[in-house]
Amino acid sequence: MMERIRELIDLLNKASLAYYQEGREIMPNIEYDALYDELLRLEKETGMVMDDSPTQNVGYKVVSELPKERHAAPMLSLDKTKSVDDLGVWLGDKQGVLSWKLDGLTVVLTYNKGKLIKAITRGNGEIGEVITGNAYNFENIPVNIDYDGELVLRGEAIITYSDFEKINEEISDADAKYKNPRNLCSGSVRQLDPKVTKQRHVRCVIFSLVSGSDIPVFSERFEWLKGLGFETVEYVITDAGKIHSDVEVFKKKIETNDFPSDGLVLTFEDIKYGESLGRTAKFPRNAIAFKWQDETAETTLKEIEWSASRTGLINPVAIFDPVELEGTTVSRASVHNISIVEELKLGIGDTIRVYKANMIIPQISENLTGSGTVTPPERCPVCGGRTEIRQDRDAKYLFCNNPECPAKKIKSFSLIVSRDALNIDGMSEATLEKFISQGFIHEFADLFSLGSHRDEISSLEGFGEKSADNIINAAEKARKTEMHRFIYGLGINGIGLANAKLISKYYDCDYEKIKNASLDELKDIDKIGPVLAKNFTEYFMDMKKRLEADRLFEVLEFSERESDGGEQVLAGKTFVITGDVHIFKNRREVQEKIEALGGKTAGSVSSKTDYLINNDILSGSSKNKKAKELNIPIITEEEFISMYEN
């Protein structure tokens, strides 16, 4: 029995490390929960608990370079149940507050005399990381509040699904995309650079008031905190008689929620009563977590689809007879890696159980027949090249060894069709992979001859005549473009959109001049240093790349100007933009306006700066101070607009 306990501890700790710190998943959630429950049962039966048992540890191991600080009191995890009846029994004749259990990163916020003075992550429950600078950049957290005393709050830092998807859309590399909002949020909050936190649109939803108020009722504390400007977790006041209907109301909202959650939390409404119950070694007795009873369905495994990516990684995807789960039809689930295929002993025709992790992501929970007949293919499904199984830490993965595999071009194709490049609407990575694997696309110019494959496209899974026409028409629309978008989309190392604009403008959008640019010429362009100049010239010295770019150029139609056609009234002027904007949509729009009128933008204030745009001209920011030291005018948006409208 002790050997089994040791085995469970090691396995669960590996899974936690992979999920919480490496953004990987080595086992389904439902399997983790089952193993955790087994470990808990064995520990109770034997009375033996190891120091490193996951039943005794909370949160993640603190490993970053952020400053560390010990919590004033240990942050305990909550006991949990999957039974609504258990919640009713737990409440007894008391009222409770039922709220979402958000799936992000727990933080502790401290205010003193109305100012946010400290923010610490949960860490391992004993020691957390100081993230005060990052907390200032949470989208919805007030930095100053109307309260003179000390206030300590607990909240969950989260990133919404919509923001998560937007961030992933901007990443052309399929394997660099973030796996889920929780992991993205954790990395965003635990950043050494607060700018990254701000860019990721992190929110903090308050779920507990630790100290600072003697309000005796839990729900009234929420309302008081709302009055101070905090966003608090959604909740209802419940009791044993209505707990079933209240849980059902929350359940129905999951499909449309824009925020990640992994269950509910039930807390006693009477705070003093809850505190009087004390705590166990790991759990407080004033609250309990509820995890959804996973709805499972039995189905038959029809095939394993091997999906190749641009790194050569070939991912197994289970295809099974469609089943209804949580109100939707499901017919496929990622299996993640070879180790999980082997652990589940998958075989075509096997009877498997599937479920939705957190009621969203399809997963295989169990193989009831376990024939184990699925073997990794020896040849890549895209190019036919030899495959290889590689061990990465504690899991095995399948790779294609062919350096010329078309699937490895996904990254470059994703960039050329992206919004800032040719902007082919609807051309997702999944669509690109299908077109490449079918041989419709071999190089960039092929994107504009998809019409010759219309019938074949309409017969692909997920397509039809209308969707085939839509993607072909989108490509035709994208044929009309601008030189800087074309240059940026080629994927020249280090040449971003701004640099592509500078180069295009310098050579008056003349492609012959651009592709034959010399090192010395490029180095004369502001912001194009020797490294970028070398990358640029080397790209066009590669005859294979040069010819591919030439063929793409031939099928595109270019506008005559790189500006909006307005007078270049800002020519020769350099601007730095900082702070919030309220007339333009965002700072990027201000930058585009400056460049369209002939001006330039820079990231920092220097002697070459002509104007600093900052609506808060009295701010004590470093940029304002630098501008004042150098006698550089600080102007508002209104003053900037007057420079070209008058």
Side-chain angles (χ1 to χ4, degrees), residues 481-521:
T481 189
E482 295 172 291
M483 183 58 68
H484 71 270
R485 292 178 177 273
F486 164 68
I487 296 299
Y488 167 67
L490 294 177
I492 303 170
N493 190 22
I495 303 299
L497 188 63
N499 291 330
K501 285 182 179 180
L502 292 172
I503 293 170
S504 298
K505 189 174 180 180
Y506 184 85
Y507 289 104
D508 296 321
C509 301
D510 187 324
Y511 178 56
E512 283 298 316
K513 292 179 180 178
I514 289 171
K515 70 179 181 179
N516 293 307
S518 69
L519 271 173
D520 290 338
E521 285 176 346

Side-chain angles (χ1 to χ4, degrees), residues 85-99:
D85 288 336
D86 286 351
L87 296 181
V89 172
W90 184 86
L91 272 175
D93 60 355
K94 304 294 183 182
Q95 281 193 320
V97 172
L98 188 67
S99 61

Side-chain angles (χ1 to χ4, degrees), residues 215-225 235 269:
I215 296 174
V217 180
F218 202 87
S219 60
E220 289 181 11
R221 288 190 173 187
F222 277 153
E223 298 307 313
W224 180 68
L225 290 172
Y235 73 91
E269 172 80 313

Side-chain angles (χ1 to χ4, degrees), residues 52 54 59 73 83 123 127 152 186 196 204 219 223 257 324 348 409 415 438 470 481 511 527 536 564 574 619:
D52 58 344
S83 166
I127 298 172
V152 181
S186 177
V196 176
C204 186
S219 60
E223 298 307 313
N257 279 348
E324 288 289 321
I348 306 306
K409 297 180 180 179
L415 178 62
Q438 293 294 321
N470 286 343
T481 189
Y511 178 56
K527 297 182 184 176
F536 195 88
D564 63 358
T574 299
S619 165

Side-chain angles (χ1 to χ4, degrees), residues 64 155 201 227 235 250 298 368 414 450 497 501 555 587 618:
S64 78
H201 305 290
Y235 73 91
F250 276 94
E298 287 187 16
L368 301 178
S414 295
L450 290 172
L497 188 63
K501 285 182 179 180
V555 300
R587 288 192 288 187
L618 300 178

Side-chain angles (χ1 to χ4, degrees), residues 313-370:
L313 177 66
I314 303 175
N315 293 303
V317 179
I319 311 297
F320 43 81
D321 286 337
V323 291
E324 288 289 321
L325 284 176
E326 313 293 355
T328 62
T329 301
V330 178
S331 61
R332 54 194 293 128
S334 174
V335 192
H336 301 295
N337 55 54
I338 300 298
S339 295
I340 293 178
V341 171
E342 293 175 346
E343 183 183 335
L344 289 170
K345 297 181 181 178
L346 294 179
I348 306 306
D350 280 352
T351 301
I352 58 174
R353 276 206 182 103
V354 294
Y355 75 108
K356 281 187 177 180
N358 292 336
M359 301 180 72
I360 296 174
I361 304 169
Q363 303 261 304
I364 298 176
S365 62
E366 188 179 3
N367 185 356
L368 301 178
T369 45

Side-chain angles (χ1 to χ4, degrees), residues 525-555:
I525 302 175
D526 185 32
K527 297 182 184 176
I528 305 295
V531 174
L532 292 182
K534 183 172 182 287
N535 291 345
F536 195 88
T537 55
E538 285 182 349
Y539 180 91
F540 284 103
M541 283 191 288
D542 184 323
M543 290 310 298
K544 185 176 179 181
K545 292 178 179 177
R546 185 185 182 101
L547 289 172
E548 184 173 11
D550 287 349
R551 287 190 285 268
L552 176 61
F553 174 79
E554 291 299 324
V555 300

